[in-house]
Amino acid sequence: MEKNKCTGCGVCENVCPKGNISMESDSEGFLYPEIDVINCISCEMCVTHCPVINPLESTEKLKELKAYAAWSRNKEIRYNSTSGGIFSELAHMIILQGGYVAGAIYDENLLVHHHISNCKDDIIKLRQSKYVQSKTGKIYARIKKILDDGKLAMFVGSPCQVSGLNRFLDKEYKNLLTCDFICRGANSPKAYLKYLLSLENKFGSKVERVWFKNKKNGWNKFCTKIEFENGQEYYADRYTDPYMKGYLKYNLFIRPSCSQCQFKGLPRYSDITLADYWGVNLRDENVDIEQGISLIIINTKNGKANYDLLIKRIFRKESDLTDALKNNQCANVSIKHGIYRDKFFEEIDETDFMELIKNISKEREK
């Protein structure tokens, strides 16, 4: 497979029977499989389980997909979530039943990796969008063991990661709930760390917490909040924050495969798709949209059964699927790389992140 098609989902690392595959960073900071060719036994498990080379739909799709506008009735959960807090409600439900939830969290270095837990306190760490590609590690193998033990498990990841899990398991599990999200593209961990380093130099302190899409100024503002060890705080919206400009405006540092994503469109590979419901139109004018509204797409019977269990904990209103996706074009369309992407990665090792984005902005405006 060509390198620019690899999504970095990590299923090959999980499925190798000899443990001869590891995920290593390239010059752009993205993870790719490295194979110990000397000890390779040529079993081709990595090839047959790759969701790009051998896509697999492991779930029975609904004949008519259902879409909803929804949010948690718990104000704290809703405010502290990226959109409406439906992930937190689903996770809470699974853990209350003795199950496990897997999703992306920040580690001690503020990088992002997949983590699995049966502790409800960890839901706080698992929720919210991270806007940098997560390292899956051996998460698929850990989920398989939990499922084989007869316990419930919920997995949340990008569409390619959900497809990777399905391909790794190679069969349906009734005790598994999968959720993906409408993904714009996976950002480079290297670019993200350079951004944090630039802020640390500016504020004279280590970053303590990263909170993308903070709702201090409302759900639509894409406010980034960074907290520092010295007590200072940084706030900026999507139009002024250099990282968000580099991601949303200039398309500088998404993964190569994301510009030709094979996991777009409907139906999805997951049971439930989570997203922001941009452009939502509700008849009740008293609804505070600025607290965040989730778009929920139910793809399977399993997804519907689990979603229906939340009925008392959430507000939900069924929506026309076509209308729901009008302002979520990334559900079907891949974002193309920006014209200054090569320049960004050529200069990022020698240039301060903020300065580099500023220089690219000036060139764009010429």
Side-chain angles (χ1 to χ4, degrees):
M1 181 176 67
E2 298 171 33
K3 180 182 176 181
N4 64 2
K5 292 183 179 180
C6 173
T7 68
C9 72
V11 67
C12 52
E13 180 183 29
N14 281 252
V15 80
C16 179
K18 295 295 183 178
N20 289 332
I21 298 177
S22 61
M23 301 297 290
E24 304 295 338
S25 297
D26 73 346
S27 62
E28 295 182 347
F30 292 109
L31 295 174
Y32 290 91
E34 291 284 341
I35 302 174
D36 178 358
V37 293
I38 295 176
N39 294 305
C40 177
I41 60 174
S42 300
C43 65
E44 296 195 346
M45 291 282 283
C46 55
V47 175
T48 59
H49 286 79
C50 174
V52 174
I53 299 173
N54 292 294
L56 170 71
E57 291 194 36
S58 63
T59 50
E60 183 182 350
K61 308 301 178 186
L62 291 176
K63 291 182 179 179
E64 293 185 14
L65 305 185
K66 299 289 184 181
Y68 297 87
W71 61 82
S72 170
R73 296 186 185 275
N74 183 305
K75 292 182 180 180
E76 183 274 333
I77 289 176
R78 187 182 180 192
Y79 178 81
N80 287 291
S81 299
T82 297
S83 47
I86 302 305
F87 159 75
S88 293
E89 294 292 1
L90 286 167
H92 181 77
M93 176 192 69
I94 294 294
I95 289 175
L96 279 181
Q97 297 177 74
Y100 290 74
V101 176
I105 67 167
Y106 293 108
D107 65 18
E108 64 275 7
N109 297 313
L110 296 176
L111 282 168
V112 179
H113 71 275
H114 261 69
H115 173 75
I116 190 162
S117 175
N118 63 347
C119 175
K120 65 180 182 180
D121 291 341
D122 283 348
I123 295 174
I124 295 172
K125 301 175 185 177
L126 291 163
R127 70 186 176 203
Q128 298 177 354
S129 297
K130 273 65 176 187
Y131 289 112
V132 61
Q133 186 163 30
S134 66
K135 182 176 182 178
T136 53
K138 295 297 183 68
I139 198 71
Y140 305 135
R142 294 187 64 191
I143 290 173
K144 185 178 187 303
K145 184 178 187 310
I146 288 168
L147 295 172
D148 287 340
D149 287 342
K151 299 173 184 175
L152 289 174
M154 172 181 167
F155 177 81
V156 181
S158 62
C160 56
Q161 289 170 340
V162 170
S163 184
L165 173 62
N166 289 338
R167 204 66 190 83
F168 175 79
L169 296 174
D170 241 1
K171 72 173 187 177
E172 286 194 37
Y173 283 85
K174 293 182 179 179
N175 48 334
L176 171 66
L177 174 68
T178 57
C179 300
D180 70 353
F181 49 83
I182 294 178
C183 180
R184 190 179 189 277
N187 287 323
S188 160
K190 181 177 183 176
Y192 161 78
L193 288 178
K194 291 288 187 178
Y195 162 68
L196 295 187
L197 178 61
S198 186
L199 284 173
E200 288 179 343
N201 291 335
K202 180 179 180 180
F203 283 81
S205 179
K206 296 289 291 182
V207 172
E208 188 172 59
R209 184 187 181 193
V210 178
W211 186 346
F212 290 115
K213 288 180 70 177
N214 177 271
K215 295 175 183 174
K216 177 184 178 182
N217 298 319
W219 169 52
N220 282 284
K221 296 296 184 181
F222 270 76
C223 178
T224 298
K225 178 182 179 182
I226 308 290
E227 299 174 8
F228 297 88
E229 290 180 355
N230 64 7
Q232 295 187 82
E233 294 180 345
Y234 164 86
Y235 288 95
D237 63 25
R238 63 183 297 177
Y239 304 106
T240 57
D241 178 67
Y243 189 74
M244 280 299 165
K245 285 173 69 176
Y247 175 40
L248 298 173
K249 186 175 183 179
Y250 302 139
N251 299 321
L252 295 177
F253 37 76
I254 62 170
R255 192 179 181 95
S257 62
C258 296
S259 67
Q260 48 183 330
C261 179
Q262 296 181 211
F263 304 95
K264 298 288 186 182
L266 298 170
R268 314 289 280 188
Y269 287 85
S270 64
D271 295 307
I272 297 175
T273 296
L274 306 170
D276 294 279
Y277 201 136
W278 303 123
V280 63
N281 184 19
L282 298 173
R283 292 182 180 179
D284 187 352
E285 295 181 357
N286 294 318
V287 171
D288 186 357
I289 290 178
E290 284 303 310
Q291 292 301 302
I293 297 182
S294 296
L295 167 61
I296 309 299
I297 301 174
I298 307 299
N299 302 305
T300 68
K301 292 178 181 178
N302 183 45
K304 185 177 187 307
N306 279 278
Y307 183 63
D308 285 345
L309 294 176
L310 302 181
I311 190 67
K312 293 182 180 180
R313 296 183 59 89
I314 67 172
F315 170 90
R316 70 180 193 179
K317 182 175 177 59
E318 191 166 351
S319 177
D320 178 78
L321 184 59
T322 301
D323 289 342
L325 293 178
K326 280 181 181 177
N327 294 293
N328 261 304
Q329 296 183 357
C330 289
N332 294 305
V333 179
S334 296
I335 297 298
K336 299 305 178 186
H337 294 310
I339 59 173
Y340 292 102
R341 186 182 189 279
D342 289 344
K343 174 183 174 65
F344 175 85
F345 281 110
E346 286 169 3
E347 299 186 14
I348 189 57
D349 287 326
E350 306 299 331
T351 309
D352 175 80
F353 183 93
M354 305 288 191
E355 191 66 27
L356 182 52
I357 298 299
K358 186 185 298 184
N359 294 341
I360 289 173
S361 296
K362 288 180 181 178
E363 289 197 30
R364 285 267 306 215
E365 292 168 4
K366 285 181 182 178

